[in-house]
Amino acid sequence: MTYSRPPGSAPGRRTVLRGSLAASAALSLGAAPAPAPAAPAQSRSGRPNAGWGVQAGDVTSSSGLVWVRSDRPARMVVETSPTESFRRVHRWRGPLLGPDTDFTGTTALRGLPAGEQIHYRVTLTDPDDPRRSGEPVYGTFRTAPARRRDGVRFLWSGDIAGQGWGINPDIGGFRAYEEMRRLDPDFFLCSGDTVYADGVLQPRVTLPDGRVWRNVTTEEKSKVAETLGEYRGNFRYNLLDHNVRAFNAQVPSVVQWDDHEVRNNWYPGQILDDPRYTEKDVDVLAARALRAFGEYFPVSTLTTGGRGGGRMHRVVRYGPLLDVFVLDMRTHRNANSPGRQADDRDGILGAGQLAWLRRELARSRAVWKVLAADMPLGLVVPDGATDFEAVAQGDPGVPLGRELQIAELLRFVKHRRITGTLWLTADVHHTSAQHYAPERAAFKDFAPFWEFVSGPLAAGGFPASALDATFGPERVFVRAPERANVSPMEAPQYFGEVDIDGGSGELTVRLRAEGGTVLFSKVLRPGRVGQ
C-alpha cells in the first residue's frame, strides 16, 4: 500500500522540538516519585506562560482547532504559516483565557488550504498590555486532502493512565506516544477513557515479580474526582508527560469520551452507593467532567466558550476517502441492566443520535466510513454480577436490549447499500479483530463488516472478552494478557493504524504493539461487502 503526501509536507525537526521543548521548560517528570507540580511555575518575567504545550483537533480539508493553556489571564493569538520559518503568516485573534475556563482556550482556524502542512505558533499576551507576551509555543498539522490520490493514514487507541498505572519516569513515561509520533500519522483517533477520573494513583506499586512501579502523583489524582477542579486536574495530569506534549505538537486528534472521564460504568440518572463519593448524583459529576473535557480538548462540538456545552457526537470529514463518525455511547444510554428488553428506545446511542447517524451515513460520499465507537459491539463487558456495560449481554439469540439499536443501524446500512463501513474501538484493554457475518448470526438482516479493537495506550491490560453471537462475530485475531490489570512494565501497550491508499482506495488496518511490532494486518477493498 502506498501513502502519498504533498512534497515537503513532513514537519521539520525544528518545529517538533520547539513545540515540545517549550513545554518541557516549564514541566518535568523528575526522577523521584514525589508529587509533580499541578501547574507550570509562574514566569518570573510576569509574562504569560504556555507551559502545557499546544494541541490541534478535528482537522478537515479547510479547518482545524488549536488549543493552549496559560498560567494566568491572557489573550490567545495564533499565527499560521506554510513554512516553519514563518516568513508569511496569517494571524488569528483567539479568546481571552481566564479562571472561568481554567485558563484554557481554543481558536478555530478556517479557510486553510487542503492537503498542506500547516505550521502554527501560539503566543499569549497580557490582556492589559498586548506588548507584553510570553514565548511562543509551536505546533504543526496536515489538513485533509482535497484529492483522493493523496491517501490518508491515522492511528487510534484509548485507555490512558488507568488502573493505577500513571506516568512512570523509570520507563520514560507514556512511551507509546513517542512511538506513534515517529509514525507521523495524519491524525490520532482517541477512542475514549482519555483520563481515569476515578483512578487514584499511588506513588509506588509492587508488581507480582517484586519490581516497583513508580507514579508521578498530583493532588487531584490522590482521590476520585468530584469537583470541577478535580476533573480539570485529571485532564492536566496527562499533559505532565513530555511524550504527550511532543505528540500533541505534531499530530492532531479526534477525541471522544467513555466512562472513566466521569467514573467507571456510569450512565445518566445513576445514583452512586460508592463510599468514595460525597456527590452521589452522577448527572452532577458528568456535567463537571464534560465541562473539563471541553476545556482540555479541541473538539468542534464542545467549543462553546470552553464550558463543555454542545454535544460529543459528530462527523469529521477527512477528504474524499474518509468520514469519521464519532459516536457517544455514554451520554444518551439507558441504565445498565441484564439487557433482555424486547423494546428499547434509548439503547446505547439514544434515539436522537441514532437518527443523526443514519442521516449522516446516508449523506456521506466518502469511500470509507469509520464508526468510531467508545465501546465494542459483540464483546461482552459485564457491570457487576447481573448487568452489562456495552451492547452485548451474553445472550446469543435475537437482538434484545441495546442490541436492538445496533440491529436497526446495521439493517439500515444494508438496505441503503452504504458501503465502506468499519468499526474502531478500544475500552477492553486488549487488541483484537472481529469479522461479523449474517450466516453466523442470530440476527441476519445486515451486511458483513469488521470491528477492530486496540488499547490500552497507557493503562492496565486485561484478558480477552467473551463474544456474543447475536451478530455473528468471529475473532480472527486477539492478543491479551492472561490475568487482569497487567502493568505496562509487564506487557506492551497497543494502538492501531489505518492506511488508505490514494490510488486503489484499499484500506489496510494494522494492529500494533508498543516496540514496533505489527501483530495483525488486514486489507479491505472499497465498495465491497463480506470481506
Side-chain angles (χ1 to χ4, degrees), residues 136-154:
V137 181
Y138 295 80
T140 187
F141 61 85
R142 282 186 294 276
T143 50
R147 305 171 302 181
R148 170 172 166 163
R149 67 175 182 266
D150 288 335
V152 176
R153 184 166 56 86
F154 69 94

Side-chain angles (χ1 to χ4, degrees), residues 384-500:
T386 61
D387 295 343
F388 293 91
E389 162 70 352
V391 175
Q393 21 68 333
D395 182 340
V398 299
L400 296 170
R402 292 170 179 163
E403 294 172 335
L404 291 164
Q405 273 199 337
I406 302 303
E408 180 182 344
L409 176 63
L410 296 179
R411 182 188 294 114
F412 175 81
V413 169
K414 174 187 173 182
H415 288 275
R416 289 297 295 263
R417 298 182 180 180
I418 298 171
T419 61
T421 61
L422 71 154
W423 294 71
L424 302 181
T425 189
D427 183 71
V428 289
H429 295 241
H430 60 260
T431 187
S432 65
Q434 289 81 233
H435 182 251
Y436 293 76
E439 60 267 23
R440 297 189 295 265
F443 172 76
K444 299 183 179 299
D445 194 10
F446 71 97
F449 66 95
W450 283 86
E451 174 186 55
F452 299 94
V453 180
S454 194
L457 192 57
F462 281 77
S465 304
L467 292 181
D468 183 316
T470 296
F471 300 117
E474 178 187 13
R475 189 147 43 201
V476 179
F477 172 83
V478 64
R479 181 68 58 87
E482 294 183 358
R483 62 180 175 85
N485 200 15
V486 175
S487 79
M489 282 178 65
E490 303 166 273
Q493 304 293 276
Y494 301 116
F495 60 91
E497 179 181 29
V498 175
D499 189 343
I500 307 176

Side-chain angles (χ1 to χ4, degrees), residues 140-321:
T140 187
F141 61 85
R142 282 186 294 276
T143 50
R147 305 171 302 181
R148 170 172 166 163
R149 67 175 182 266
D150 288 335
V152 176
R153 184 166 56 86
F154 69 94
L155 307 177
W156 93 92
S157 189
D159 315 317
I160 304 159
Q163 288 73 47
W165 315 114
I167 302 168
N168 185 344
D170 296 337
I171 66 170
F174 294 159
R175 299 174 301 188
Y177 274 91
E178 174 59 15
E179 190 169 317
M180 293 194 302
R181 185 191 70 79
R182 291 179 181 275
L183 290 172
D184 192 30
D186 289 308
F187 65 91
F188 171 59
L189 170 61
C190 191
S191 300
D193 290 342
T194 59
V195 300
Y196 280 71
D198 59 336
V200 175
L201 295 180
Q202 302 295 333
R204 297 172 181 269
V205 181
T206 301
L207 304 181
D209 61 6
R211 289 181 295 169
V212 173
W213 174 281
R214 299 194 306 151
N215 282 315
V216 168
T217 59
T218 66
E219 180 180 354
E220 293 88 355
K221 293 297 293 181
S222 67
K223 65 178 293 293
V224 296
E226 299 179 83
T227 68
L228 176 60
E230 289 166 350
Y231 280 110
R232 286 167 166 170
N234 272 263
F235 286 102
R236 280 198 302 273
Y237 179 82
N238 293 352
L239 297 176
L240 291 170
D241 184 81
H242 65 283
N243 301 298
V244 172
R245 297 194 306 274
F247 180 81
N248 287 345
Q250 180 177 326
V251 181
S253 293
V254 174
V255 187
Q256 63 190 143
W257 77 345
D258 191 32
D259 56 338
H260 289 286
E261 286 82 358
V262 180
R263 60 95 62 185
N264 187 42
N265 294 358
W266 75 274
Y267 51 83
Q270 185 181 24
I271 303 299
L272 302 179
D273 60 2
D274 188 333
R276 299 177 301 167
Y277 288 85
T278 57
E279 176 56 69
K280 304 295 186 180
D281 189 338
V282 161
D283 289 350
V284 173
L285 298 175
R288 293 168 181 168
L290 181 63
R291 176 169 173 175
F293 186 102
E295 292 170 343
Y296 275 86
F297 289 115
V299 174
S300 56
T301 53
L302 290 176
T303 54
T304 55
R307 295 181 179 274
R311 57 180 170 82
M312 191 72 68
H313 63 273
R314 61 203 188 278
V315 55
V316 178
R317 303 195 187 281
Y318 205 84
L321 284 172

Side-chain angles (χ1 to χ4, degrees), residues 329-354:
M329 293 176 149
R330 189 57 54 180
T331 306
H332 311 286
R333 63 165 54 201
N334 55 16
N336 290 355
S337 72
R340 302 303 199 269
Q341 305 96 315
D343 184 11
D344 193 347
R345 175 175 171 78
D346 289 332
I348 199 163
L349 297 174
Q353 185 179 189
L354 178 60

